[in-house]
Amino acid sequence: MSTQHLLSLLVENKPGILTRVAALFARRGYNIESLAVGTTEIEGVSRITVVVSLDGQPLEQVTKQLNKLINVLKIVELEEETSVARDHMLIKVRTDSSTRSQVLEAVTLFRARVIDVVSDAVVIEVTGNAAKCQAFLKVLEPFGIKELVQSGAIAVSRGSKSMSEKVIR
Amino acid sequence: MATETLTGAQALIRSLELLGVDTVFGLPGGAILPTYDPLMDSKKLRHILVRHEQGAGHAAEGYAAASGRLGVCIATSGPGATNLVTAIADAHMDSVPMLAITGQVNSFSIGTDAFQEADIVGITMPITKHSFLVTRAEDIPGVVAAAYEIATTGRPGPVLIDFAKDAQNGKFEFSWPPKIDLPGFRPITDPHGKQVQAAAELILKSHKPILYVGGGVIRADASKELLALAELLHAPVTTTLMARGAFPDSHPQHLGMPGMHGTVPAVTALQKSDLLITLGARFDDRVTGDIKSFAKGAKVIHVDIDPAEIGKIRHADVPIVGDAKVVILMLIAELKAQMKDSKPDYEDWWVFLNGLKERYPLGYNETEDGKLSPQYVIQRIGELSGPEAIFAAGVGQHQMWSAQFIKYERPNSWLNSGGLGTMGYAVPAAMGAKVAQPDRLVWAIDGDGCFQMTNQELATCTINNIPIKVAIINNSSLGMVRQWQTLFYNSRYSNTDLNTGTDTIMVPDFVKLGEAYGCLAIRVEKIEEVDAAIKLAMETNDRPVVIDFIVGRDAMVWPMVPSGISNDAVQYARDAAPIWDGDE
């Protein structure tokens, strides 16, 4: 049985850190479902959000191995109930005069946005949790999806506490 | 703070000096040339010019393993750096504190496939504790100090620094000490008091405990503390291949080595135990055999400085993250407090274990072809050299016999390639050990296969006056592979003949080879010559010594648990399983 976990890593923004993290996953046979990297509110510190799917391996081994990397500052697992996670998608959908209004209706229903329109296609931007994004895609599929690009999930815990507290001394 | 204008190369040398490094093993080339220039003027750094970079790496390992200090090796970019890879991987598996310094092409040429360019940081990422690429001279002191800290603190390991040529040439204002900025590196050395308390409770409740001791005890310099703990409890001790010497072999509580070629008492004690007191060991597959059937009835206390080792292979009932020395001292204090005046009673356990020791001592048969018994040769080397000597082995039969038949009484006296199993480790490691401990007698006990991988370092030894002794246990074959072919492949000897024995064409002739390298080299074929040859080697200190011991090729390493099989099936000799009384 494979289970998905969403991990947030605070890392030093040093060359090679992404390779080190990715290589560790590859070497130990952990499967990365999605990955998002960016800078944070602290200079020199980046945040990696990784969704990993594990086949029976304990998550603890993953976090312990990641913690051994010198440039990794902190790791937390964000649980669904106590955190907010968002995916971001850009979707190019085939449209013509007969289908455009139906597509635009779906855009409104899912609170997505149209960011480019030409005569035979529209580009749509949608943000939401993974389930919403998948549902939206399903609605668009019959019209013909020409191109799909998505970010990995990014996530933050609910409440006022910050992950970076106590990390930087 | 006073500063001084230095080049990056000068700063590198100065930083190493200031960190207390006294020896580096290396070989220059284009991209590291700037560093070799100030190295020539250093009064504090001895550079030993090797003949192959792998030798520099293993020499640094031997230096570190014999002394407990950081070992340092240097190579140029590209092929120089890639030649270090085996030694770096070896140091990573065996937790050896090592610093590998490599030259790199100019920073503006990196990524252009420049001459002798290799992405050595990328190549070594999975086999180093950490690595750095330095492209600016001013970063050098901080990086070198950080590398030293990482390599030697917590669980030791290899760190690589790749220096772009322009970083070596650049000038900057040098000051010392630099600020070491490692916010993500916080090894835990002091254990959790509650865990130590829980461990003591578990120990005092157990009836059949065993101290399962790994190389971590040697790296933590905790042998004295281990002895005190073992004697306080009067519990049996087993020392893994990496821990030989952590506990005296002469001690009556010592059961010997566990694992694939462990003693019957050690293997069986682990299987029958109700509590493994695991100290700096990692449940390696060569120790546990089939993990599902390993020590099924035992609870586990697991002490390790690396949290990732705990629970990796075997669940720990009481996990303790900490430095072995600190943990053992705390455990002794806690046990004393909990025991008050009573002592745990392991009487029945010892009756069983002593029975095993009596019935299944280590032994060997004479060879059938009338040639020397390799075990006898190795045993005599150990007996005549004594416990103050250092013994380095490669990998294979000679390594196992050296682990079994030499009696170790002190830590850092046994050096070998345990985790990686690197052929060619012994000669350069012995060289490094002799440089670190010049007053000790240092033996490389090597196989005829292993010896042919790195014997060119004998030139380094002769020229630099490093008088090591090499005992080639020459069975004219890749002996351990041949043993498996005998046992598991119907004696079909596919590509294991090396033709170095006296009844072959003898290529190469190891005596001639040794002489060519300036060594005293002799061949020993008869039992009555063995002692005299060993004594001659011990008396000869103006050059290295090579002894070509011609031994029987059918000798096998026993006891043995075949790979992947339960340790319950340990064989004392071929087709001879121990006989168990009753249902013990």
Side-chain angles (χ1 to χ4, degrees):
Chain A
M1 241 295 280
S2 110
T3 50
Q4 283 204 354
H5 302 269
L6 192 151
L7 297 177
S8 256
L9 282 72
L10 288 183
V11 301
E12 288 183 271
N13 188 3
K14 293 270 167 82
I17 178 63
L18 190 58
T19 314
R20 287 177 204 275
V21 170
L24 193 149
F25 278 88
R27 168 80 173 85
R28 309 233 166 215
Y30 310 135
N31 199 16
I32 295 178
E33 298 291 334
S34 84
L35 186 72
V37 193
T39 54
T40 63
E41 73 280 8
I42 302 163
E43 200 189 324
V45 174
S46 292
R47 181 153 169 163
I48 300 177
T49 307
V50 54
V51 178
V52 56
S53 110
L54 299 176
D55 291 316
Q57 305 109 319
L59 178 71
E60 200 187 349
Q61 257 304 304
V62 184
T63 56
K64 280 174 167 178
Q65 296 292 346
L66 285 168
N67 257 320
K68 278 176 78 166
L69 298 176
I70 305 290
N71 299 135
V72 171
L73 301 172
K74 190 174 181 179
I75 303 167
V76 293
E77 182 186 13
L78 293 175
E79 311 273 358
E80 217 175 314
E81 306 79 56
T82 54
S83 65
V84 190
R86 289 290 179 266
D87 286 16
H88 195 191
M89 280 182 179
L90 299 176
I91 313 155
K92 191 175 285 179
V93 185
R94 197 186 308 277
T95 55
D96 52 36
S97 51
S98 66
T99 59
R100 188 170 296 123
S101 62
Q102 294 171 58
V103 170
L104 293 178
E105 196 178 327
V107 167
T108 314
L109 275 171
F110 280 88
R111 281 190 279 171
R113 291 199 303 156
V114 173
I115 52 177
D116 189 45
V117 186
V118 287
S119 64
D120 57 351
V122 291
V123 177
I124 303 165
E125 172 187 24
V126 65
T127 302
N129 62 27
K132 173 187 162 183
C133 291
Q134 289 310 315
F136 185 46
L137 275 184
K138 212 154 200 176
V139 170
L140 295 179
E141 238 161 43
F143 303 105
I145 294 172
K146 290 169 69 80
E147 201 172 339
L148 167 67
V149 46
Q150 54 184 317
S151 74
I154 55 169
V156 71
S157 65
R158 293 180 186 274
S160 65
K161 271 201 182 139
S162 153
M163 186 182 168
S164 56
E165 277 169 27
K166 290 185 203 161
V167 166
I168 308 303
R169 291 166 301 171
Chain B
M1 201 181 297
T3 63
E4 190 181 345
T5 307
L6 295 184
T7 64
Q10 289 168 331
L12 167 56
I13 301 302
R14 184 75 64 84
S15 301
L16 292 174
E17 290 173 353
L18 287 163
L19 287 163
V21 174
D22 57 15
T23 309
V24 292
F25 301 89
L27 192 139
I32 196 73
L33 262 173
T35 293
Y36 267 79
D37 193 63
L39 178 59
M40 199 177 178
D41 298 327
S42 174
K43 304 242 175 340
K44 293 179 184 149
L45 272 188
R46 179 185 183 194
H47 178 268
I48 292 167
L49 174 63
V50 297
R51 294 298 177 272
H52 186 294
E53 291 88 351
Q54 184 185 354
H58 292 317
E61 284 189 273
Y63 178 98
S67 67
R69 300 197 300 269
L70 179 78
V72 183
C73 53
I74 306 187
T76 191
S77 63
T82 56
N83 276 345
L84 286 179
V85 168
T86 301
I88 294 171
D90 193 278
H92 191 244
M93 287 288 259
D94 288 348
S95 305
V96 181
M98 177 165 118
L99 175 60
I101 292 170
T102 51
Q104 181 55 274
V105 299
N106 282 309
S107 60
F108 51 83
S109 300
I110 292 176
T112 65
D113 304 325
F115 177 64
Q116 291 194 330
E117 181 188 355
D119 175 12
I120 195 63
V121 167
I123 288 167
T124 58
M125 230 172 234
I127 52 164
T128 49
K129 193 172 170 189
H130 195 56
S131 51
F132 298 91
L133 169 65
V134 180
T135 53
R136 303 186 315 171
E138 58 268 36
D139 294 340
I140 286 175
V143 166
V144 175
Y148 185 95
E149 173 83 8
I150 293 168
T152 57
T153 314
R155 181 180 183 171
V159 176
L160 178 134
I161 316 178
D162 197 22
F163 292 93
K165 195 169 183 181
D166 47 344
Q168 299 170 55
N169 284 326
K171 285 193 176 151
F172 74 108
E173 290 301 309
F174 176 89
S175 69
W176 192 268
K179 185 172 171 280
I180 301 177
D181 188 26
L182 294 170
F185 182 59
R186 290 170 295 232
I188 299 159
T189 51
D190 292 338
H192 203 290
K194 280 230 172 77
Q195 295 299 91
V196 175
Q197 202 181 330
E201 281 164 18
L202 209 51
I203 291 169
L204 296 178
K205 262 191 258 164
S206 76
H207 302 287
K208 298 188 285 183
I210 179 166
L211 289 154
Y212 161 30
V213 175
V217 168
I218 291 181
R219 297 289 182 256
D221 187 24
S223 293
K224 241 189 262 160
E225 292 74 13
L226 169 66
L227 182 65
L229 174 65
E231 292 191 336
L232 174 71
L233 290 170
H234 194 60
V237 178
T238 180
T239 51
T240 68
L241 182 65
M242 289 308 297
R244 304 289 292 120
F247 190 77
D249 275 341
S250 59
H251 198 288
Q253 284 167 239
H254 200 172
L255 304 178
M257 181 170 77
M260 182 176 272
H261 295 296
T263 66
V264 173
V267 171
T268 310
L270 286 168
Q271 287 303 86
K272 308 285 181 188
S273 165
D274 65 358
L275 178 66
L276 310 184
I277 307 167
T278 312
L279 304 169
R282 59 180 178 90
F283 297 88
D284 180 81
D285 57 274
R286 284 298 190 264
V287 167
T288 64
D290 169 44
I291 187 67
K292 284 192 214 76
S293 58
F294 174 70
K296 272 166 96 172
K299 293 206 170 209
V300 172
I301 297 168
H302 195 171
V303 178
D304 206 292
I305 194 145
D306 180 358
E309 284 303 341
I310 293 173
K312 184 180 83 175
I313 305 288
R314 171 74 182 249
H315 169 75
D317 299 277
V318 179
I320 304 180
V321 178
D323 178 81
K325 192 175 199 151
V326 180
V327 176
I328 294 172
L329 284 173
M330 279 177 69
L331 193 54
I332 289 172
E334 182 62 34
L335 281 165
K336 281 182 177 163
Q338 287 191 22
M339 275 157 54
K340 303 201 174 66
D341 296 326
S342 67
K343 275 219 160 195
D345 177 15
Y346 304 136
E347 189 57 36
D348 291 348
W349 184 219
W350 273 114
V351 168
F352 172 68
L353 296 176
N354 284 330
L356 288 175
K357 281 173 87 169
E358 208 163 293
R359 264 180 298 163
Y360 301 106
L362 276 174
Y364 57 90
N365 295 326
E366 297 303 318
T367 56
E368 279 165 26
D369 54 12
K371 288 190 174 146
L372 285 169
S373 296
Q375 301 95 328
Y376 174 79
V377 171
I378 290 168
Q379 187 172 335
R380 287 308 290 158
I381 291 172
E383 284 166 356
L384 291 172
S385 302
E388 291 305 313
I390 292 172
F391 306 89
V395 66
Q397 287 183 317
H398 70 276
Q399 172 196 32
M400 289 298 117
W401 287 319
S402 299
Q404 292 175 330
F405 290 99
I406 294 173
K407 296 303 155 202
Y408 301 94
E409 298 293 315
R410 61 175 193 89
N412 305 316
S413 59
W414 163 242
L415 320 179
N416 83 129
S417 172
L420 195 66
T422 306
M423 290 178 72
Y425 172 88
V427 168
M431 173 173 85
K434 182 70 181 171
V435 172
Q437 308 262 286
D439 297 332
R440 291 193 190 276
L441 169 62
V442 180
W443 281 97
I445 298 174
D446 221 355
D448 44 303
C450 287
F451 180 67
Q452 291 188 69
M453 293 216 172
T454 49
N455 63 43
Q456 70 276 18
E457 299 314 332
L458 287 173
T460 312
C461 289
T462 300
I463 289 165
N464 292 285
N465 191 23
I466 306 167
I468 62 166
K469 330 290 175 194
V470 181
I472 305 170
I473 308 302
N474 183 355
N475 60 8
S476 198
S477 58
L478 298 167
M480 187 60 95
V481 184
R482 186 184 153 91
Q483 173 167 342
W484 284 46
Q485 288 171 334
T486 304
L487 295 173
F488 312 121
Y489 293 88
N490 295 319
S491 297
R492 282 162 50 81
Y493 298 116
S494 174
N495 292 283
T496 43
D497 275 353
L498 290 177
N499 290 292
T500 52
T502 41
D503 41 11
T504 71
I505 56 167
M506 289 191 92
V507 176
D509 179 325
F510 290 132
V511 171
K512 285 185 190 161
L513 182 76
E515 283 171 351
Y517 278 126
C519 305
L520 171 68
I522 53 174
R523 179 164 294 121
V524 175
E525 297 177 69
K526 296 198 184 81
I527 192 163
E528 56 272 22
E529 299 165 354
V530 170
D531 279 18
I534 295 168
K535 285 178 189 158
L536 175 66
M538 289 167 62
E539 286 157 9
T540 305
N541 285 311
D542 59 342
R543 60 200 148 137
V545 179
V546 174
I547 310 177
D548 183 18
F549 287 104
I550 305 294
V551 302
R553 69 184 336 196
D554 293 325
M556 288 200 262
V557 182
W558 297 108
M560 180 169 186
V561 183
S563 179
I565 302 285
S566 167
N567 278 0
D568 290 328
V570 57
Q571 295 196 4
Y572 185 49
R574 191 169 192 181
D575 301 325
I579 299 153
W580 310 115
D581 292 333
D583 53 5
E584 251 302 349

